[in-house]
């Protein structure tokens, strides 16, 4: 499967680029941040994106899927990265809807997926616990007391957690921390008794939350997939998530790099453009090399999802690691090369810096993925 | 599409019945088949394999049939390459003429020059060397001084070339020489073909830090070269050289992939030298992490190569991706070499260590030799200059 976009995917990318630059420039993220917006995204924008069919992008045909594939999704994510667009696309569509598509019963799909594509339902995957992404270490429990099922424990870094209508919660039904067996996914409504949602204020202005489950009562009907058997599904969901997030990061990284190049061509000191200094040229060239390499990894990962290749997990870890390191490097260099202006809030560079650090933590930092890659390759 | 599948099947069948089993092992340096008047084969199979490939023109798959080439389209050649890779077939011929000079001559040579030289390259009869660099002209190549004086029916050559790869084993050398000492730097240079058997030419090997003697300093002392050996117009050698440069970059990636295969598997080496726990996990987490980063980057560099190919095939601009490849692959190779050396600890400090396997000894030698990769064929710094200018449009 080719890494290059086909005609329809190119068209999709153009449409989204035009739409976002006119309806959701980076300035709209500032507004969300400055007003401490409850939602952390613009619902109006999400409805407009829904009209464009974006929530259906990954859906199977019977749910009016658009058939753009993962490369199509990647193109959209890249544009969202470039515009720093806050939207439920990642949490609701890429993560939660994937879990439903891959793990849910026909009945659950019929009930949930059409609402998602209509923009009427937002979801969130409640997975991480503690300070780092490590799904196998899940310890939030699903207790079975003679058929009475309850969830107890704390979830952290739940993306869109303060706004989502419902959560898909990763829980442990049996086994111990670190076991793949015993994990389950449960759909839990935000209004469930015993569930406390604490909004966190992360530096990118978007919404996330910590969740505290105190004997939250659930039924077997709320299970997505079989009890204790969620791990294989979860892995597929996370591969999609990791790769889609890498695509968003690629877009953001390209944008902040291009803005920096622009500054190098424009800004004068010592009577010349600062871009004539070889010390800066070489660093810019090295960034470009790293960016192109990361881009190859992301495009390869997207196309391996499209061809449902057995090495999706490996490609996902490569893409996320290289993209993490690249985005960190380029945002730091972007600030340095903008001089004092780089650390003012007047320029947007700082917004990319902050989003970069959040996205690096989303679904695993480089240490996590290098470790995972080593495990997958038997060392 | 269907005809491509049929082509692929034919190629596979042909390779399966014509490539001897012994020629499907990873290539090692001493067994490479280099072109030349004094060509030699380390075994009968390698001769057979070379001759079969030569007779199909597949030593130069895309070159025109009229000059002995394979006449394949780029897509067909890609299929041949893929099928050879899949079967593990060794390259049938090694020669700078094949990789760099031939393609440029096909572009710039006269009909007579092509007739004279191209078939011999395809058939591996002549080994070519590159005579560009000089003691005081490296990155600043246009500062070269080797003089070619017009003597009516011939040029008279005087000067010194440096770094001539395999100069002492080569039959011919393609050179940049100064034909007009008064013209501005790049405009007084011509591209000339010189037979090393000529009186007055002498190539002396230099020893490198890994103990090899592959590179020569080449002296020209009143060497006579016929006028018909001028490629391109007089004083327009720089254009030919520039055209050749793009093939040189290809060659660098061919070279590093050859080296790659000679080394042992770095994961296995790491397991042996730093140790594993009962489940096979490396016990040194820093080595493990560095290893992952190296393998990931090397993998992504491969994807870049494929992406570049796909973009070209679709007629899309590569956006500067091609310019990044040499810098990235050579830098990554050196990162790997350093990692390997540190993994091997005190065992990696000698290249004649009786306790090491041949592959391990090679790895150590390659560590030293591969320092050349970021220098030869345009240094890393020069690559970064070019990227800044061509890909990033930074002002100068
Ligand atoms: C293994 C090997 C094989 C070779 N084979 C051949 C061959 O077959 N034929 C042939 O003709 N030549 C060959 N070369 C020569 C090669 O092309 C030159 O070594 C190369 O171009 C660099 O030139 P130099 O060695 O004179 O280094 P210099 O140009 O003197 O460079 C010294 C340092 O200065 C830096 N530098 C120079 N200019 C700039 C600049 N403008 N900006 C920033 N930094 C700069 C360089 O990057 C380098 O770090 C070979 C070299 C090697 C090592």
């Amino acid at each position: 499967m080719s890494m290059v976009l086909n005609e329809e995917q190119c068209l999709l990318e153009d449409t989204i680029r035009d739409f976002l630059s006119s309806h959701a420039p980076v300035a709209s993220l500032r507004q969300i941040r400055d007003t401490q917006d409850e939602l952390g995204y613009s619902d109006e924008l999400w409805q407009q994106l829904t009209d464009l069919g974006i929530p259906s992008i990954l859906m199977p045909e019977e749910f009016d899927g658009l058939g753009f594939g993962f490369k199509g999704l990647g193109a959209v994510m890249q544009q969202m990265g470039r515009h720093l667009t806050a939207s439920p696309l990642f949490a609701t569509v890429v993560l939660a809807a994937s879990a439903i598509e891959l793990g849910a019963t026909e009945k659950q799909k019929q009930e949930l997926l059409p609402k998602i594509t209509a923009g009427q339902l937002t979801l969130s995957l409640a997975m991480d616990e503690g300070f780092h992404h490590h799904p196998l270490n899940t310890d939030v429990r699903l207790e079975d007391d003679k058929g009475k099922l309850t969830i107890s424990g704390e979830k952290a870094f739940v993306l869109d957690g303060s706004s989502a209508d419902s959560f898909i919660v990763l829980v442990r039904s049996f086994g111990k921390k670190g076991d793949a067996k015993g994990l389950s996914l449960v759909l839990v409504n935000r209004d469930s008794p015993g569930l406390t949602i604490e909004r966190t204020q992360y530096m990118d202005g978007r919404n996330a939350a910590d969740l505290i489950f105190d004997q939250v009562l659930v039924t077997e009907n709320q299970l997505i997939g079989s009890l204790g058997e969620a791990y294989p599904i979860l892995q597929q969901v996370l591969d999609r998530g990791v790769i889609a997030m890498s695509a968003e990061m690629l877009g953001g990284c390209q944008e902040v790099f291009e803005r920096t190049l622009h500054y190098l061509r424009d800004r004068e000191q010592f009577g010349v453009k600062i871009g004539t200094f070889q010390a800066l040229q070489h660093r810019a060239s090295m960034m470009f090399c790293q960016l192109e390499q990361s881009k190859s990894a992301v495009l390869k990962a997207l196309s391996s999802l499209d061809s449902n290749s057995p090495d999706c997990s490996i490609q996902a870890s490569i893409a996320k690691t290289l993209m993490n390191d690249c985005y960190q490097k380029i945002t730091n260099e972007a600030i340095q090369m903008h001089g004092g202006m780089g650390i003012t809030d007047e320029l947007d560079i700082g917004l990319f810096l902050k989003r970069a650090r959040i996205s690096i933590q989303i679904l695993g930092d480089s240490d996590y993925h290098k470790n995972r890659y080593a495990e997958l390759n038997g060392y | 599409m269907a005809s491509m599948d049929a082509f692929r099947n034919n190629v596979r069948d042909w390779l399966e019945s014509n490539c001897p089993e012994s020629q499907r092992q990873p290539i090692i340096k001493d067994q490479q088949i280099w072109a030349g008047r004094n060509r030699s084969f380390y075994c009968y199979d390698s001769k057979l394999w070379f001759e079969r490939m030569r007779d199909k023109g597949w030593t130069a798959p895309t070159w025109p049939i009229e000059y002995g080439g394979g006449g394949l389209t780029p897509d067909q050649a890609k299929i041949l390459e893929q099928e050879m890779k899949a079967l593990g077939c060794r390259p049938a011929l090694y020669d700078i003429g094949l990789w760099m000079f031939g393609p440029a001559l096909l572009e710039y040579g006269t009909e007579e020059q092509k007739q004279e030289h191209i078939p011999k390259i395809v058939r591996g009869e002549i080994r070519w060397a590159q005579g560009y660099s000089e003691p005081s002209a490296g990155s600043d190549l246009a500062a070269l001084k080797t003089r070619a004086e017009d003597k009516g029916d011939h040029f008279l050559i005087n000067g010194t070339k440096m770094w001539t790869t395999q100069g002492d084993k080569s039959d011919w050398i393609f050179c940049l020489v100064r034909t007009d000492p008064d013209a501005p730097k790049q405009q007084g240079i011509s591209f000339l073909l010189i037979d090393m058997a000529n009186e007055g030419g002498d190539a002396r090997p230099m020893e490198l830090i890994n103990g090899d003697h592959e590179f020569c300093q080449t002296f020209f002392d009143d060497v006579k070269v016929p006028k018909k050996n001028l490629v391109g117009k007089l004083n327009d050698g720089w254009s030919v050289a520039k055209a050749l440069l793009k093939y040189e970059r290809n060659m660098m990636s061919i070279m590093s992939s050859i080296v790659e295969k000679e080394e042992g598997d770095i994961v296995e080496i790491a397991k042996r030298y730093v140790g594993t726990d009962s489940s096979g996990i490396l016990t040194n987490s820093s080595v493990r992490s560095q290893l992952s980063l190296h393998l990931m980057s090397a993998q992504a560099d491969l994807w870049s190569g494929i992406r570049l190919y796909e973009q070209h095939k679709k007629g899309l601009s590569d956006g500067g991706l091609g310019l990044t490849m040499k810098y990235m692959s050579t830098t990554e190779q050196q990162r790997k070499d350093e990692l390997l050396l540190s993994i091997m600890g005190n065992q990696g400090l000698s290249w004649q260590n009786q306790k090491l396997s041949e592959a391990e000894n090679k790895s150590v030698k390659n560590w030293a030799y591969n320092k050349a990769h970021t220098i030869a064929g345009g240094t890393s710094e020069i690559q970064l200059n070019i990227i800044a200018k061509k890909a990033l449009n930074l002002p100068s």
Side-chain angles (χ1 to χ4, degrees):
Chain A
M1 178 96 37
S2 166
M3 284 183 259
V4 182
L5 296 187
N6 66 24
E7 237 168 82
E8 293 88 57
Q9 291 161 338
C10 285
L11 212 65
L12 172 70
E13 181 166 36
D14 290 344
T15 310
I16 291 296
R17 180 190 299 114
D18 294 347
F19 175 78
L20 292 179
S21 48
S22 55
H23 292 74
V26 173
S28 48
L29 181 75
R30 281 181 184 277
Q31 199 191 347
I32 288 169
R33 179 193 69 177
D34 295 343
T35 56
Q36 298 207 330
D37 186 275
E38 256 319 296
L39 265 183
Y41 63 86
S42 152
D43 190 48
E44 190 192 343
L45 183 77
W46 183 233
Q47 294 312 323
Q48 287 165 331
L49 285 167
T50 301
D51 293 341
L52 287 174
I54 295 305
S56 321
I57 190 158
L58 285 184
M59 295 288 170
E61 299 243 333
E62 73 245 52
F63 295 100
D64 300 328
L66 293 182
F68 285 115
F70 287 95
K71 283 208 289 289
L73 171 73
V76 173
M77 291 299 293
Q78 272 184 66
Q79 287 305 322
M80 293 196 157
R82 273 187 182 270
H83 295 89
L84 292 174
T85 311
S87 93
L89 180 65
F90 185 67
T92 299
V93 176
V94 180
L95 294 177
S98 286
I100 294 165
E101 179 208 325
L102 296 165
T105 61
E106 221 28 61
K107 184 159 169 284
Q108 288 170 320
K109 287 187 200 175
Q110 294 292 351
E111 190 189 318
L112 298 167
L113 294 182
K115 285 190 197 150
I116 292 178
T117 53
Q120 291 161 359
L121 175 69
T122 59
L123 297 173
S124 165
L125 186 63
M127 171 178 46
D128 289 356
E129 297 170 22
F131 306 134
H132 300 282
H133 173 74
H134 204 315
L136 277 182
N137 279 355
T138 294
D139 205 28
V140 166
R141 293 274 158 177
L142 180 66
E143 306 286 355
D144 183 350
D145 184 12
K146 295 176 204 120
K148 184 181 152 210
L149 299 175
T150 57
I151 301 177
S152 293
E154 291 184 22
K155 289 285 178 188
F157 201 36
V158 179
L159 305 178
D160 286 2
S162 86
S163 64
D165 300 318
S166 290
F167 300 100
I168 294 180
V169 189
L170 179 65
V171 293
R172 183 167 290 288
S173 318
F174 52 82
K176 57 177 191 315
K177 250 182 158 177
D179 291 352
K181 278 258 175 213
L183 294 175
S184 308
L185 291 169
V186 192
L187 185 70
V188 178
N189 190 286
R190 70 175 292 115
D191 299 325
S192 304
L195 172 57
T196 313
I197 301 169
E198 287 178 354
R199 180 171 177 167
T200 44
Q201 298 289 347
Y202 288 119
M203 59 190 169
D204 66 350
R206 306 187 192 195
N207 97 56
D210 293 339
L211 307 185
I212 301 157
F213 293 85
D214 181 13
Q215 301 195 7
V216 174
L217 202 59
V218 294
T219 68
E220 250 176 58
N221 294 337
Q222 287 165 257
L223 275 174
I224 306 283
S226 324
L227 191 75
E229 301 292 339
Y231 193 61
I233 297 162
L234 183 72
Q235 266 192 314
Q236 282 187 66
V237 172
L238 293 184
D239 285 341
R240 290 184 183 187
V242 164
I243 294 167
M245 184 47 60
S246 304
E248 188 208 293
M249 295 168 80
L250 173 62
C253 204
Q254 284 172 320
E255 179 69 25
V256 76
F257 181 58
E258 282 164 22
R259 288 179 185 219
T260 305
L261 289 178
H262 194 265
Y263 199 72
L264 291 177
R265 292 186 205 112
D266 220 40
R267 167 83 174 163
E268 289 189 9
Q269 286 293 283
F270 298 97
V272 294
K273 307 285 185 200
I274 58 171
T276 60
F277 301 137
Q278 199 185 44
L280 299 188
Q281 289 186 346
H282 279 194
R283 277 155 62 188
S285 295
M286 285 188 264
M287 284 191 259
F288 179 69
C289 289
Q290 193 178 359
L291 185 53
E292 286 298 312
Q293 183 194 54
S294 312
K295 181 176 174 182
S296 297
V298 173
L299 296 182
K300 176 67 192 181
L302 287 164
S303 73
S304 71
L305 282 176
D306 276 329
S307 54
N308 203 7
S309 135
D311 68 350
C312 281
S313 297
I314 286 183
Q315 300 307 336
S317 282
I318 297 178
K320 188 68 167 42
T321 303
L322 297 184
M323 214 50 251
N324 280 346
D325 295 358
C326 187
Y327 208 4
Q328 183 187 49
K329 170 89 182 172
I330 289 183
T331 45
N332 283 340
E333 286 284 65
I335 296 221
Q336 181 67 20
M337 291 187 184
H338 277 82
M341 281 309 291
I343 53 168
T344 64
D345 190 51
E346 202 169 304
L347 294 193
D348 292 336
I349 304 298
L351 300 177
F352 286 93
L353 176 84
K354 293 168 197 164
R355 181 60 186 166
R357 296 311 183 274
I358 302 237
S359 39
I360 285 171
Q361 291 301 325
I362 292 175
L363 305 190
D365 61 12
S366 294
D367 276 338
Y368 174 81
H369 283 286
K370 282 187 279 190
N371 180 50
R372 178 167 176 261
Y373 179 89
E375 270 169 14
L376 291 167
N377 283 290
Y379 63 90
Chain B
M1 243 8 221
S3 74
M4 277 308 194
D5 289 343
F7 178 78
R8 187 183 289 280
N9 289 335
N10 284 340
V11 167
R12 190 177 303 152
D13 289 348
W14 188 87
L15 290 173
E16 266 169 10
S17 43
N18 286 282
C19 184
E21 203 54 50
S22 68
Q23 300 304 298
R24 301 184 194 181
Q25 315 299 323
I27 187 74
I28 63 173
K29 211 167 184 179
D30 301 340
Q31 301 183 352
Q32 291 170 359
I33 303 159
W34 280 86
R37 290 178 185 139
N38 303 320
R39 194 176 54 210
S40 70
F41 300 95
Y42 80 102
C43 74
Y44 178 73
D45 273 358
S46 77
K47 180 159 186 279
L48 199 65
W49 171 230
F50 160 73
E51 284 172 354
R52 286 173 175 167
M53 286 290 278
R54 175 195 66 190
D55 294 344
K56 279 201 87 86
W58 283 0
T59 44
T62 57
W63 294 6
I65 293 176
E66 51 182 313
Y67 305 118
L72 303 186
T73 64
D75 280 340
Q76 289 173 325
K78 193 87 197 165
I79 289 177
L80 173 61
E81 187 192 322
Q82 287 165 350
E83 291 303 318
M84 283 180 66
K85 220 177 216 159
L87 264 188
C89 306
R90 293 177 164 188
L93 181 62
Y94 288 78
D95 176 37
I96 289 177
L98 196 61
W99 300 322
M100 289 170 61
F101 169 60
L105 192 70
L106 282 169
E107 212 174 300
Y108 276 85
T110 62
E111 189 52 39
E112 192 196 343
Q113 287 168 336
K114 290 189 222 175
Q115 297 277 5
E116 181 182 352
H117 297 292
I118 298 290
K120 289 184 187 156
I121 296 176
V122 179
R123 303 181 62 80
E125 288 164 8
I126 292 292
R127 192 188 301 193
W128 283 90
Q130 180 187 32
Y132 280 18
S133 307
E134 296 182 7
S136 55
S139 300
D140 185 11
L141 185 58
L144 61 92
K145 295 198 189 83
T146 295
R147 185 77 171 94
E149 265 177 286
D150 191 338
K151 294 285 181 186
D153 65 335
H154 67 271
F155 291 108
L156 192 66
I157 317 297
N158 279 289
T160 308
K161 291 290 172 185
M162 271 282 275
W163 291 113
T164 355
T165 309
Q166 303 195 352
D168 55 335
K169 301 190 187 73
S170 297
D171 306 302
W172 279 69
I173 182 167
F174 53 94
C175 284
L176 288 177
V177 292
R178 187 154 303 281
T179 34
D180 184 351
D182 301 323
K185 252 178 155 184
Q186 300 181 353
Q187 288 162 31
I189 294 173
S190 299
F191 194 97
L192 207 55
L193 311 181
I194 304 177
D195 187 340
M196 294 291 280
N198 274 341
E199 187 119 3
D202 183 19
R204 293 180 210 155
M206 299 182 282
E207 181 166 342
L208 295 194
I209 51 175
N210 69 340
D212 277 0
H213 300 82
E214 274 181 52
F215 303 92
C216 293
Q217 190 158 8
T218 303
F219 300 90
F220 298 105
D221 185 13
D222 279 344
V223 174
K224 285 185 190 166
V225 177
K227 284 265 172 90
K228 68 171 169 85
N229 289 2
L230 178 73
V231 179
K233 293 202 209 69
L234 187 70
N235 295 327
D236 192 29
W238 199 251
S239 322
V240 186
K242 271 205 299 206
L244 208 134
L245 206 69
K246 56 176 187 257
Y247 302 113
E248 177 157 11
R249 292 207 189 97
N250 284 347
M251 186 181 86
M252 292 309 297
S253 65
I254 295 174
M255 294 290 249
S256 48
S257 71
I258 293 168
V259 169
E260 190 78 21
K261 288 187 198 114
E262 271 189 39
E263 290 166 0
D265 178 348
I266 188 167
V267 172
E268 289 313 312
I269 294 180
K271 284 187 172 182
R272 188 152 65 242
Y273 284 90
V274 306
T276 55
D277 66 15
S278 58
S279 52
I281 302 289
L282 287 174
T283 46
N284 183 322
S285 63
S286 160
V287 165
R288 189 161 175 260
S289 160
Q290 290 178 67
L291 195 55
S292 288
L293 191 57
H294 157 65
L295 292 171
M296 289 171 159
S297 306
Q299 184 74 259
D301 288 341
L302 286 183
W303 303 141
S304 285
I306 294 172
R307 179 156 73 90
L308 190 65
Y309 169 77
E310 286 176 353
Q311 284 171 335
H312 283 175
K313 207 171 110 182
K314 280 203 158 182
L316 301 169
S317 139
D318 78 7
L321 171 63
L323 297 174
T324 68
M325 307 279 284
K326 196 227 166 200
Y327 174 79
M328 289 305 268
S329 60
T330 54
T331 310
E332 194 55 46
Q333 178 64 44
Q334 291 179 355
R335 173 151 69 167
K336 175 185 178 180
D337 294 330
E338 290 299 342
L339 181 58
L340 206 59
L341 208 67
S342 68
I343 285 172
M344 290 169 71
N346 60 19
Q347 292 294 293
L349 302 178
S350 150
W351 41 77
Q352 279 141 358
N353 187 337
Q354 305 277 318
K355 289 186 197 150
L356 299 189
S357 70
E358 197 174 330
E360 286 170 338
N361 272 318
K362 276 263 157 59
S363 305
V364 181
K365 267 194 132 172
N366 284 338
W367 158 80
Y369 176 73
N370 290 344
K371 300 296 174 201
H373 285 332
T374 48
I375 297 167
T379 68
S380 285
E381 290 74 20
I382 298 296
Q383 303 300 321
L384 295 175
N385 285 347
I386 295 172
I387 292 167
K389 194 169 162 188
K390 298 260 169 73
L392 308 183
N393 288 316
L394 290 177
S396 45

